Amino acid sequence: MKASLKTRYDTDKRAAAATVAVKAGDLKLRASMTDATVVKGPSLNGLALAVEKPGFFIIDYNVPKKFMNTVRVAEKPLNLTYIHSRGDNRTILDGTLVFDSANKVSANHVLGSGNGKLKYSYVHQGVTTFEPSYDLNKNSWDFAVARRVYGDDVFRASYQTSSKALGLEWSRNSKLNGSFKISAAVNLGEELIKMPKLSAETTWDFEM
């Protein structure tokens, strides 16, 4: 049995989440909840259950939203994900075409709407990732670049041309030293640039 505890601190709020996963043969059973589940007494808010066969499919049951179904088809070089939420009456299609270890193209589309994204990802020498993306609904480009340093640390910068939002992120995923993510975001399009919005997120993994 594996469990993880995630805490997040924003400049305007705090949040926490917990996940427990159990293997049952080829299947993985998972239950997760957020602080909304226990604050002000036990409730169903933030509670989710899932059954997963890694690399093949996931079936999610989101209790407050009634139901959400996710199916993944993992047949390289094409990976497809189908998500249907009855509570929100929304269906999402995700697809990723992997050309090689350094190049892949992905697309996301919400059926029945003009919302969609196309993204190209290129990994240079295994340490630097370039990700330009195009938002069909906003008719705009977004850009991101990430670089891995010292093995476990990743520095990432992103820019959204539609909102002129600049984001910076430092993350670490280490079995020895733990996982964390520190983010800062600022809107360069405002006449008076405000203080960056800061957030910090830490995850602890346990084997039980």
Side-chain angles (χ1 to χ4, degrees):
M1 182 183 298
K2 292 186 178 181
S4 65
L5 175 64
K6 179 183 292 184
T7 60
R8 180 182 176 89
Y9 175 80
D10 291 289
T11 50
D12 54 350
K13 62 180 180 180
R14 297 180 182 180
T19 300
V20 177
V22 181
K23 282 189 175 182
D26 294 336
L27 301 178
K28 181 186 292 184
L29 311 179
R30 186 172 67 253
S32 61
M33 65 179 184
T34 67
D35 51 356
T37 312
V38 295
V39 172
K40 296 181 181 180
S43 69
L44 299 179
N45 294 328
L47 180 63
L49 307 174
V51 178
E52 176 185 2
K53 186 173 183 179
F56 290 92
F57 70 84
I58 299 175
I59 299 177
D60 293 311
Y61 185 80
N62 190 305
V63 179
K65 294 183 178 181
K66 302 293 179 68
F67 186 77
M68 178 175 285
N69 181 49
T70 303
V71 179
R72 293 181 182 175
V73 181
E75 292 292 339
K76 290 186 178 181
L78 180 63
N79 299 329
L80 295 176
T81 302
Y82 163 85
I83 303 173
H84 177 67
S85 175
R86 292 180 60 184
D88 297 335
N89 193 23
R90 185 176 60 169
T91 301
I92 303 172
L93 291 178
D94 273 314
T96 301
L97 181 61
V98 181
F99 294 99
D100 51 41
S101 60
N103 297 273
K104 65 181 179 181
V105 176
S106 58
N108 172 280
H109 177 59
V110 180
L111 295 184
S113 73
N115 294 334
K117 271 191 174 183
L118 297 173
K119 182 171 68 175
Y120 169 67
S121 178
Y122 167 67
V123 182
H124 181 67
Q125 295 182 348
V127 294
T128 305
T129 302
F130 300 93
E131 290 184 340
S133 60
Y134 181 71
D135 192 313
L136 300 175
N137 186 40
K138 297 179 181 179
N139 191 26
S140 63
W141 286 90
D142 298 331
F143 301 92
V145 58
R147 183 173 179 84
R148 182 178 299 276
V149 295
Y150 305 119
D152 296 326
D153 294 70
V154 176
F155 291 92
R156 187 176 188 271
S158 62
Y159 181 71
Q160 298 179 351
T161 57
S162 60
S163 61
K164 296 183 179 180
L166 174 66
L168 299 174
E169 180 182 293
W170 171 32
S171 63
R172 173 180 295 171
N173 187 4
S174 171
K175 294 182 179 180
L176 297 177
N177 301 316
S179 302
F180 69 82
K181 181 168 64 177
I182 299 175
S183 306
V186 62
N187 193 327
L188 302 180
E190 298 177 342
E191 293 185 3
L192 180 61
I193 297 179
K194 301 178 181 179
M195 287 291 294
K197 182 179 179 181
L198 302 175
S199 65
E201 184 177 290
T202 307
T203 303
W204 293 271
D205 295 318
F206 308 95
E207 295 220 3
M208 305 170 63

